[in-house]
């Protein structure tokens, strides 16, 4: 009957509250976690793994992925042979050896490792270094921020499958990660190293792609091609602010045309010059190549690895597509087209080995030269666009996990997830690309730097996927050893080769990585320390009760939103605010925006509420949960927050205490006694019918009060916290917190700028945290 009463009082409530045994909210044991509220929300939404969709949809996604993912790896035939044979071709058989290396590298790493294995290590459909890290964070408490809550596992997109606790291996690794701070820090540093290298790719890819395309212009003298490349790069970055909303269907035809041309020209060269180069499928020529060239052959691997630049993009951009789409597009289009391009160039070089410095354009038939040049420039711009957009997406993910200073993130598409534009990062990338292009002037030197970034990311991916295999997938130890042994050893050999060119440009990605890792580490370290300070100095709930009895406190019309990262309790900035401004809004919501290690949180599961006693003071705690690909739009956030608050008030008030007694009796009585017990309880319900009616009226009055407060305005109370190191701290800690973090915080955006809070609705209160 309690259900029926609730349904009559509020028509929409029946949909929000499942018809299950209810528990009185008034008699709940109050823990700091919001576990019960989460259970009520998630009960109405089934967990879903996502459907792969129809084959028609998959084919469409496969076509779109050609334009988004493969621009980088597709343009590698422009410069691979010239980067590999930097000192020319000494022996005709060397062409077969290098071609064999390219083919088997292409088969082993992009095809077998990424397409068949790594794509399955996604985090609810998203790929990349941060996705791997977030997947591990869901299975083990390895986050450096101690804000883990059991209710997070009830989110629909969490998709947590319990690892095999029966296996000692999984449990042992889980314990090491959870109870060893060094292991947590090492995993975090390993993650941001991979992230930094990918961002470094965002600088090197536009430079090498555009420069390699422009180098083919006939009749240019001196460094003219360098300045043309710089102009194209500047135009490319200036166009970023318009967004890449139609990137899939716009770029896919151009890249498809590119693959068609390079495959056709490859076939033409194969039959015209030397069809016997197909012998390169025999790995014997790899062995002969190393025997013949020794150390020079090993050094040349730095050029061979450039043939698979962009393979990581298949995993990093997985969130826009699905696994079958990428597998189809790579296997049916990309792999055969690029293989034919390298085979055709190899056939040409067996006849004209002196043309290795400009293999691509030299092997292009004369009537197709200018059409190929135009298509090559377009393809290189598309390859650059993909990496630039990927860099923006990675920075956006880093922001949500507290690993990067605040910057402005502009979402350029309502259709495509992850299509973002970051003005500050865009112009920094543009300056870096121009400097790299003017400084190195040729693709060979940039290729030396490019190879290190590419292989480093692959090594990090291999190690993290191995950890997932050990702890989550419950894979056979022999298969794990096979995966790690084969791919890590191959990539380690390539890495040793590209490191040999460290002084010839290889230092550049390391310089980028060191700078980016330092920024991310300083920001995240201070972020964690500030969180720990708030956790240890959180305000007791008794303070609110004392506040309610303080007649000197003035109540102001409107809703006040006090922001804090703290999810377990009331932040210390609240008491500081009351001491300095002895007034508080008629409705106060202590909001914590909490990053969750998943891609997206469903809107209906985003908010968790808890009312702080005494209820008549109308102070609420709210945890707003966001995935690393979620966005925060201020107006939409305000509306959703208030609507969910009103739903929370209705839910909490519409659960009669009598039901708890009925359900408890149902659990303890024998089956034949349950009917009698319910008859007895029904009489109590009839007696309380008037009180229930009054209760519903009170609930609607509370909802109306919140609505009127909303109409008066929403005001933001931001804590202007100054973080300083404790006077007894060592010099390094003082430098990191007092100097480096302060510099970053001063020169990047403030919280109110990130949320686009209007000045007339903002009140900032200063406070110093000594940590």
């Amino acid at each position: 009957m309690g259900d029926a009463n609730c349904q009559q009082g509020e028509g929409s409530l029946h949909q929000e509250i499942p018809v299950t045994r209810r528990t009185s909210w008034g008699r709940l044991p109050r823990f700091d976690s919001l576990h019960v509220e989460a259970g009520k929300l998630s009960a109405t939404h089934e967990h879903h793994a996502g459907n792969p969709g129809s084959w028609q949809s998959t084919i469409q996604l496969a076509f779109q992925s050609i334009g988004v993912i493969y621009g980088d790896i597709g343009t590698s035939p422009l410069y691979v042979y010239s980067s590999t044979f930097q000192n020319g071709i000494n022996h005709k058989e060397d062409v077969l050896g290098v071609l064999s290396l390219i083919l088997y590298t292409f088969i082993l790493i992009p095809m077998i490792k990424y397409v068949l294995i790594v794509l399955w290590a996604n985090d609810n459909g998203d790929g990349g270094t941060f996705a791997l890290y977030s997947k591990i964070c869901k299975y083990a408490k390895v986050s450096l921020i101690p804000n883990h809550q059991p209710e997070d596992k009830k989110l629909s997109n969490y998709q947590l499958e319990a690892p095999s606790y029966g296996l000692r291996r999984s449990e042992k690794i889980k314990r090491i990660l959870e109870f060893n701070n060094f292991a947590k820090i090492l995993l975090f540093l390993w993650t941001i190293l991979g992230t930094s290298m990918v961002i470094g790719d965002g600088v090197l890819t536009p430079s090498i792609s555009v420069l390699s395309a422009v180098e083919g212009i006939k009749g240019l003298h001196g460094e003219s091609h360098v300045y043309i490349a710089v102009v194209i790069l500047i135009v490319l970055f200036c166009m970023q602010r318009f967004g890449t909303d139609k990137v899939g269907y716009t770029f896919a035809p151009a890249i498809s045309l590119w693959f068609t041309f390079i495959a056709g020209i490859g076939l033409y060269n194969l039959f015209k010059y030397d069809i016997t180069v197909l012998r390169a499928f025999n790995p014997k020529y790899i062995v002969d190549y190393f025997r013949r060239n020794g150390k020079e052959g090993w050094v040349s691997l730095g050029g061979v690895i450039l043939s698979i630049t962009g393979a990581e993009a298949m995993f990093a951009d997985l969130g826009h597509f699905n696994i079958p789409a990428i597998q189809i597009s790579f296997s049916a289009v990309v792999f055969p087209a690029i293989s034919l391009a390298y085979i055709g160039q190899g056939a040409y070089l067996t006849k004209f080995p002196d043309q290795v410095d400009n293999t691509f354009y030299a092997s292009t038939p004369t009537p197709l030269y200018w059409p190929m040049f135009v298509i090559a420039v377009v393809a290189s711009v598309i390859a650059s666009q993909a990496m630039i957009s990927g860099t923006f997406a990675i920075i956006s993910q880093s922001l949500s996990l507290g690993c990067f200073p605040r910057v402005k993130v502009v979402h350029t598409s309502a259709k495509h997830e992850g299509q973002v534009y970051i003005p500050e990062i865009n112009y920094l990338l543009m300056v870096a690309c121009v400097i790299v292009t003017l400084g190195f002037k040729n693709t060979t030197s940039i290729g030396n730097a490019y190879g290190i970034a590419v292989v480093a990311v692959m090594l990090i991916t291999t190690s993290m996927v191995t950890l997932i295999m050990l702890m989550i997938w419950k894979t056979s130890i022999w298969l794990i050893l096979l995966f790690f042994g084969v791919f890590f050893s191959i990539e380690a050999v390539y890495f040793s080769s590209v490191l040999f060119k460290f002084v010839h440009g290889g230092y550049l990605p390391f310089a980028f990585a060191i700078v980016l890792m330092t920024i991310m580490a300083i920001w995240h370290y201070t972020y964690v320390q500030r969180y720990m300070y708030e956790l240890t100095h959180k305000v007791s709930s008794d303070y609110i009760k004392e506040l309610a009895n303080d007649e000197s406190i003035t109540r102001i019309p409107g809703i006040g939103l006090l922001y804090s990262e703290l999810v377990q309790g009331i932040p210390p900035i609240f008491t500081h605010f009351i001491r300095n401004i002895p007034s508080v809004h008629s409705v106060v919501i202590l909001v914590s925006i909490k990053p969750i290690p998943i891609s997206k949180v469903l809107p209906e599961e985003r908010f968790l509420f808890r009312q702080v006693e005494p209820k008549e003071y109308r102070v609420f705690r709210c945890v707003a949960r966001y995935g690393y690909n979620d966005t925060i739009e201020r107006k939409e956030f305000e509306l959703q927050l208030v609507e969910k608050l009103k739903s929370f008030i209705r839910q909490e008030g519409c659960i009669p205490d009598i039901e708890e007694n009925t359900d408890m009796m149902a659990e303890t009585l024998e089956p034949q006694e349950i009917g009698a017990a319910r008859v007895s309880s029904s009489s109590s319900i009839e007696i309380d019918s008037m009180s229930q009616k009054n209760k519903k009226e009170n609930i609607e009055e509370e909802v109306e009060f919140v609505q009127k407060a909303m109409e008066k305005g929403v005001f933001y109370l931001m804590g202007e916290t100054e973080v300083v190191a404790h006077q007894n701290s060592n010099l390094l800690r003082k430098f990191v917190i007092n100097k480096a973090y302060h510099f970053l915080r001063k020169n990047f955006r403030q919280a109110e700028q990130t949320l686009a809070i209007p000045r007339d609705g903002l009140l900032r209160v200063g406070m110093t945290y000594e940590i």
Side-chain angles (χ1 to χ4, degrees):
M1 291 182 64
D3 289 342
N5 289 336
C6 286
Q7 188 176 357
Q8 293 170 2
E10 176 61 35
S12 64
L13 187 60
H14 185 266
Q15 297 176 351
E16 297 183 11
I17 302 180
V19 184
T20 56
R21 185 189 331 126
R22 309 277 171 73
T23 306
S24 171
W25 288 68
R27 301 189 181 188
L28 283 173
R30 291 300 188 184
F31 301 105
D32 214 24
S33 175
L34 307 178
H35 183 70
V36 176
E37 288 92 328
K40 293 183 70 57
L41 281 172
S42 296
T44 61
H45 304 284
E46 295 182 359
H47 289 218
H48 57 88
N51 297 320
S54 65
W55 277 106
Q56 182 181 2
S57 174
T58 299
I59 296 299
Q60 290 176 348
L61 287 173
F63 177 71
Q64 288 181 331
S65 69
I66 294 173
V68 175
I69 296 176
Y70 303 113
D72 192 5
I73 198 171
T75 54
S76 58
L78 286 166
Y79 46 79
V80 168
Y81 276 111
S82 60
S83 298
T84 304
F85 293 111
Q86 294 184 13
N87 299 320
I89 299 174
N90 299 322
H91 195 284
K92 180 180 177 180
E93 294 291 308
D94 287 351
V95 176
L96 291 176
V98 168
L99 177 57
S100 186
L101 278 168
I102 292 171
L103 291 173
Y104 279 101
T105 301
F106 218 76
I107 292 170
L108 286 171
I109 296 181
M111 176 65 81
I112 296 178
K113 176 188 168 182
Y114 280 96
V115 173
L116 299 182
I117 300 174
V118 173
L119 288 181
W120 297 102
N122 65 83
D123 177 39
N124 195 36
D126 281 278
T129 309
F130 264 119
L132 293 173
Y133 180 69
S134 69
K135 189 178 185 73
I136 295 170
C137 286
K138 289 196 296 188
Y139 286 87
K141 300 176 185 178
V142 296
S143 174
L144 297 177
I145 304 174
N147 63 353
H148 177 81
Q149 292 175 295
E151 57 266 26
D152 295 339
K153 296 181 181 180
K154 292 181 174 291
L155 290 169
S156 297
N157 289 338
Y158 213 88
Q159 289 192 353
L160 186 63
E161 296 177 6
S164 178
Y165 292 104
L167 293 176
R168 295 180 182 178
R169 182 187 73 208
S170 299
E171 271 296 278
K172 186 175 181 180
I173 294 172
K174 191 168 182 286
R175 281 197 300 269
I176 291 173
L177 289 174
E178 289 185 343
F179 298 107
N180 189 320
N181 283 330
F182 177 77
K184 291 182 181 180
I185 294 171
L186 184 63
L187 181 61
F188 173 74
L189 291 176
W190 198 238
T191 301
I192 64 172
L193 173 61
T195 303
S196 301
M197 286 293 184
V198 173
I199 296 173
D201 275 357
V203 175
L204 298 173
T205 296
S207 300
I208 194 172
S209 298
V210 174
L211 194 56
S212 62
V214 174
E215 280 179 342
I217 301 178
K218 294 180 179 179
L220 289 181
H221 301 285
E223 299 177 355
S224 301
H225 65 282
V226 176
Y227 301 115
I228 294 174
V230 167
V231 171
I232 293 175
L233 287 170
I234 292 175
V235 172
L236 173 65
F237 280 100
C238 288
M239 291 174 60
Q240 293 301 310
R241 65 190 184 90
F242 297 108
T244 54
D245 188 14
K246 299 179 181 178
V247 64
Y249 280 120
T250 303
F251 289 167
I255 292 295
S256 298
L257 187 62
W258 165 258
F259 283 132
T260 302
F261 266 80
I262 63 174
I265 292 172
L267 278 172
Y268 171 81
N269 289 333
L270 173 64
F271 288 106
K272 181 177 180 179
Y273 297 109
D274 188 3
I275 197 171
T276 63
V277 294
L278 293 176
R279 293 176 293 164
F281 281 99
N282 186 347
K284 166 186 174 294
Y285 289 97
I286 297 177
V287 178
D288 293 342
Y289 175 74
F290 286 121
R291 283 178 179 172
R292 194 165 44 249
N293 293 280
K295 181 181 177 181
E296 288 188 10
W298 167 70
V299 172
S300 70
L301 289 175
V304 174
I305 194 64
L306 297 180
S307 63
I308 58 171
T309 57
E312 184 74 20
M314 286 190 290
F315 184 49
D317 291 334
L318 178 61
H320 303 298
F321 309 100
N322 59 36
I323 294 174
I326 294 177
Q327 290 175 331
I328 291 171
S329 60
F330 184 83
S331 304
V333 178
V334 179
F335 178 75
I338 296 179
S339 298
L340 285 172
Y342 285 121
I343 291 171
Q345 289 183 25
Y348 178 84
L349 289 175
T350 59
K351 301 297 183 182
F352 305 100
D354 57 320
Q355 299 289 322
V356 70
D357 289 338
N358 192 26
T359 307
F360 181 82
Y361 287 109
S363 64
T364 301
T366 304
L368 294 177
Y369 177 84
W370 285 110
M372 278 306 297
F373 169 74
V374 174
I375 297 173
V377 171
V378 172
S380 65
V381 168
I382 292 171
S384 305
Q385 176 66 57
M387 281 308 303
I388 294 167
S389 299
T391 301
F392 292 158
I394 289 171
I395 295 293
S396 179
Q397 292 177 6
S398 304
L399 283 170
S400 66
L401 296 176
C403 299
F404 202 84
R406 297 185 186 96
V407 290
K408 182 180 181 180
V409 179
V410 180
H411 294 267
T412 59
S413 172
K415 299 177 182 178
H416 302 280
E417 294 181 4
Q419 297 291 333
V420 296
Y421 165 65
I422 304 177
E424 297 95 329
I425 301 300
N426 181 63
Y427 292 112
L428 287 175
L429 286 176
M430 182 181 72
V431 171
C433 281
V434 170
I435 292 173
V436 167
T437 305
L438 291 173
F440 286 96
K441 295 183 173 62
N442 61 79
T443 56
T444 301
S445 299
I446 299 177
N448 295 336
Y450 200 22
I452 289 182
V454 169
V455 185
V457 174
M458 290 180 178
L459 282 168
I460 291 169
T461 299
T462 299
S463 59
M464 295 185 77
V465 171
T466 302
L467 182 59
I468 288 173
M469 286 179 167
L470 285 166
M471 189 176 68
I472 302 171
W473 283 358
K474 302 161 280 185
T475 309
S476 167
I477 190 65
W478 300 110
L479 292 176
I480 295 173
L481 289 174
L482 180 64
F483 172 84
F484 184 79
V486 171
F487 294 112
F488 195 87
S489 60
I490 292 173
E491 291 160 359
V493 170
Y494 275 117
F495 193 64
S496 66
S497 173
V498 294
L499 280 179
F500 183 78
K501 301 175 182 178
F502 184 83
V503 296
H504 301 291
Y507 59 85
L508 194 61
F510 281 107
F512 283 141
I514 289 172
V515 171
L516 288 167
M517 283 187 68
T518 301
I519 291 173
M520 296 171 81
I522 289 172
W523 189 267
H524 192 68
Y525 171 77
T526 312
Y527 180 89
V528 171
Q529 294 300 312
R530 188 179 66 183
Y531 188 93
M532 294 300 296
Y533 179 91
E534 291 189 341
L535 186 62
T536 54
H537 293 80
K538 63 182 179 180
V539 180
S540 169
S541 298
D542 294 335
Y543 176 79
I544 305 297
K545 296 178 182 178
E546 296 173 4
L547 203 63
N549 297 324
D550 190 344
E551 296 180 356
S552 64
I553 303 298
T554 305
R555 302 307 296 266
I556 306 172
I559 296 178
L561 303 181
L562 179 65
Y563 279 91
S564 168
E565 281 91 6
L566 189 68
V567 300
Q568 299 104 339
I570 302 171
I573 192 70
F574 183 66
T575 59
H576 191 70
F577 169 78
I578 297 298
R579 281 197 299 267
N580 286 272
I581 306 173
S583 59
V584 67
H585 291 86
S586 55
V587 177
V588 177
I589 307 176
L590 309 174
V591 182
S592 171
I593 297 180
K594 177 183 178 181
I596 301 291
I598 59 176
S599 171
K600 283 185 171 291
V601 176
L602 295 178
E604 58 267 23
E605 298 178 341
R606 189 173 310 286
F607 298 100
L608 297 179
F609 286 93
R610 167 66 54 79
Q611 187 161 14
V612 181
E613 299 288 347
K615 291 186 176 182
E616 60 270 15
Y617 210 66
R618 298 185 181 93
V619 176
F620 301 88
R621 281 175 52 208
C622 172
V623 177
R625 301 177 292 183
Y626 281 82
Y628 51 79
N629 279 336
D630 277 322
T631 62
I632 302 177
E633 299 292 342
R634 182 178 60 84
K635 283 292 184 183
E636 181 182 359
F637 177 83
E638 290 177 4
L639 292 174
Q640 288 183 355
L641 179 70
V642 173
E643 287 303 313
K644 293 300 178 183
L645 175 59
K646 291 190 288 187
S647 296
F648 167 77
I649 293 172
R650 290 190 179 105
Q651 287 179 0
E652 182 171 2
C654 193
I655 302 176
D657 294 349
I658 192 70
E659 288 192 23
E660 180 178 20
N661 299 329
T662 304
D663 292 332
M664 289 176 63
M665 285 189 293
E667 292 177 358
T668 55
L669 295 179
E670 294 295 327
Q672 62 269 22
E673 298 175 301
I674 293 177
R678 292 201 180 273
V679 171
S680 176
S681 64
S682 65
S683 60
S684 300
I685 295 175
E686 292 175 359
I687 294 172
D688 290 343
S689 59
M690 291 300 296
S691 63
Q692 287 296 323
K693 183 178 179 181
N694 293 335
K695 192 173 185 179
K696 289 174 188 175
E697 291 176 355
N698 292 335
I699 290 170
E700 290 308 313
E701 288 177 3
E702 286 296 307
V703 170
E704 186 178 354
F705 186 91
V706 171
Q707 181 60 37
K708 288 182 178 179
M710 172 73 173
E711 293 169 358
K712 294 291 183 181
V714 177
F715 302 91
Y716 292 80
L717 315 175
M718 306 293 291
E720 192 75 12
T721 54
E722 183 74 20
V723 181
V724 297
H726 193 273
Q727 59 182 359
N728 296 328
S729 302
N730 57 49
L731 291 177
L732 177 61
R733 184 182 173 92
K734 286 182 178 179
F735 172 79
V736 167
I737 297 175
N738 297 347
K739 302 295 183 182
Y741 176 78
H742 180 72
F743 174 82
L744 292 174
R745 188 168 176 270
K746 183 179 179 180
N747 287 279
F748 283 85
R749 291 179 179 264
Q750 301 299 315
E752 64 271 16
Q753 292 175 314
T754 306
L755 292 170
I757 299 173
R759 291 184 178 274
D760 57 353
L762 174 66
L763 179 61
R764 289 188 290 188
V765 180
M767 185 176 183
T768 300
Y769 290 175
E770 191 176 49
I771 60 177

